[in-house]
Amino acid sequence: MTATTSSGHMNGTANGLDAPSSREPLAPGVYVPTVAFFTPEDTIDVETTTAHAKRLAGTGIAGLVTHGSNGEAVHLDREERKLVTRTTRSALDEAGKQHLPVIVGCGAQSTRETIQLCRDAAESGGSHALILPPSYYGGLLTTDLIHEHFRAVADASPIPLLIYNFPPASGGLDLSSDSILALAQHPNIVGVKLTCGNTGKLARVVAGTQGTPFRTFGGSADFIVQTLSVGGHGVIAGLANVSPYACDEVRRQWVAGHTAEAVRLQGVVARGDWAAIKGGFISVKAALQRYHGYGGLPRKPCTLLEGKALEAQTAEFAELVELERTMEGAATTTASS
């Protein structure tokens, strides 16, 4: 099934150019769940959204994610969601990165709305949908009902699904490896993001889907090595908004067999990620503002820290940013030589 987007982008082709096929397995690598940017008038900042996507596109990342936990999806209305995804897709195309996928967070509490968000995502240029399990009425939902939800969405969605297992964002609901492996048998469910941090679960899912197109991603930058060591395919990591080169260098060193260096770099990345984990997406925006000159405010009621507390928070990223600048400099030198 092929969906044409409102920006003229088609899942498969766009204006005669190659575009990411939603039916090909996702490439291994680091995917970045982007933050949302707002103008001083509290509207979507299209210019910054575009510039951020283009900056990330040039760093070797494998794709972008809109409306993940870093993307303030719960603060956006339906039209804003479509605008962010459409802008992100267009930015990648303009940067000559038509092959990079845009995974779109489409989780909602009803099966009906989740399907609608998947259709919106496809129309806006998304290649895949990332789905949190419904949890508001978690006490009334059995495992079978949750499975039925995912399968019904997968049956109706014009783009493939990734399961998003993140208990803090789902009222504590934590999908088991048994559930994930059962859902992985559906032909339109093609991956999982495990932000639960359970590397035993990750290993079981990898082992249970070997030889299939199903992709297993860690959900945080602090366990890239752990994910890769059991055969995982990479990470979907919010920290990569700030440090895409450093996050991908951990992966590259591991894949190249330089395990000691990968472990060393993982330590630096993990320390930086702890700052992001403690402060959530707000700390990621603060770090972007401090070290890259843009980021802006979160949407109310969330807000940035102030004064010494803000300085202390952004200082926790300093070691990571130093590594990032070293990796960026090396990449620039290699590209120009």
Side-chain angles (χ1 to χ4, degrees):
M1 187 172 184
T2 303
T4 305
T5 76
S6 56
S7 62
H9 183 87
M10 181 176 289
N11 292 329
T13 61
N15 301 320
L17 300 174
D18 290 339
S21 169
S22 60
R23 300 304 164 186
E24 296 176 358
L26 284 165
V30 173
Y31 290 75
V32 189
T34 55
V35 295
F37 300 102
F38 303 104
T39 68
E41 295 73 35
D42 199 28
T43 60
I44 298 298
D45 187 338
V46 172
E47 182 178 348
T48 302
T49 301
T50 298
H52 184 59
K54 287 182 177 180
R55 179 177 77 84
L56 294 173
T59 65
I61 52 95
L64 298 182
V65 181
T66 60
H67 314 319
S69 298
N70 271 269
E72 293 186 68
V74 296
H75 290 168
L76 306 180
D77 63 37
R78 185 177 167 192
E79 291 305 314
E80 288 177 324
R81 285 180 177 228
K82 290 193 285 187
L83 176 58
V84 169
T85 298
R86 186 167 61 247
T87 300
T88 301
R89 177 71 267 163
S90 295
L92 293 180
D93 292 350
E94 290 169 9
K97 301 293 183 179
Q98 294 87 358
H99 65 287
L100 291 184
V102 175
I103 303 169
V104 183
C106 295
Q109 295 306 310
S110 73
T111 303
R112 180 181 183 276
E113 185 180 6
T114 306
I115 291 170
Q116 183 60 65
L117 291 176
C118 290
R119 290 172 176 163
D120 286 350
E123 291 169 2
S124 304
S127 60
H128 299 75
L130 182 66
I131 309 293
L132 280 166
S135 59
Y136 187 88
Y137 295 115
L140 305 178
L141 298 178
T142 64
T143 298
D144 285 345
L145 287 173
I146 292 170
H147 288 189
E148 287 178 19
H149 169 79
F150 273 100
R151 289 173 179 139
V153 174
D155 286 342
S157 174
I159 51 178
L161 311 186
L162 283 79
I163 302 161
Y164 187 9
N165 192 56
F166 186 21
S170 304
L173 177 61
D174 189 4
L175 298 175
S176 69
S177 54
D178 290 339
S179 285
I180 294 166
L181 288 170
L183 293 172
Q185 296 176 31
H186 192 290
N188 207 33
I189 299 178
V190 301
V192 64
K193 176 187 179 185
L194 293 171
T195 311
C196 56
N198 186 330
T199 53
K201 180 188 300 182
L202 192 151
R204 290 190 293 275
V205 172
V206 169
T209 56
Q210 287 220 349
T212 76
F214 192 86
R215 295 293 184 246
T216 303
F217 296 103
S220 184
D222 61 355
F223 60 104
I224 301 171
V225 163
Q226 297 93 314
T227 296
L228 298 175
S229 69
V230 295
H233 300 95
V235 294
I236 302 173
L239 186 68
N241 281 281
V242 178
S243 56
Y245 285 105
C247 290
D248 196 50
E249 187 66 15
V250 176
R251 183 194 66 85
R252 291 178 66 252
Q253 292 294 332
W254 181 269
V255 170
H258 306 149
T259 55
E261 179 63 3
V263 169
R264 183 187 75 81
L265 295 175
Q266 178 68 90
V268 177
V269 168
R271 286 190 289 274
D273 204 24
W274 183 231
I277 291 167
K278 288 186 294 182
F281 78 90
I282 296 172
S283 65
V284 174
K285 295 187 89 165
L288 279 173
Q289 189 68 56
R290 168 68 176 82
Y291 294 106
H292 292 282
Y294 67 93
L297 298 174
R299 188 165 264 179
K300 296 291 186 181
C302 294
T303 190
L304 297 176
L305 297 178
E306 296 180 351
K308 291 183 179 180
L310 178 60
E311 287 299 315
Q313 182 182 67
T314 55
E316 291 189 63
F317 291 94
E319 179 192 25
L320 173 68
V321 171
E322 182 179 356
L323 174 63
E324 176 70 8
R325 288 172 176 167
T326 299
M327 296 295 102
E328 181 178 7
T332 302
T333 300
T334 300
S336 61
S337 62

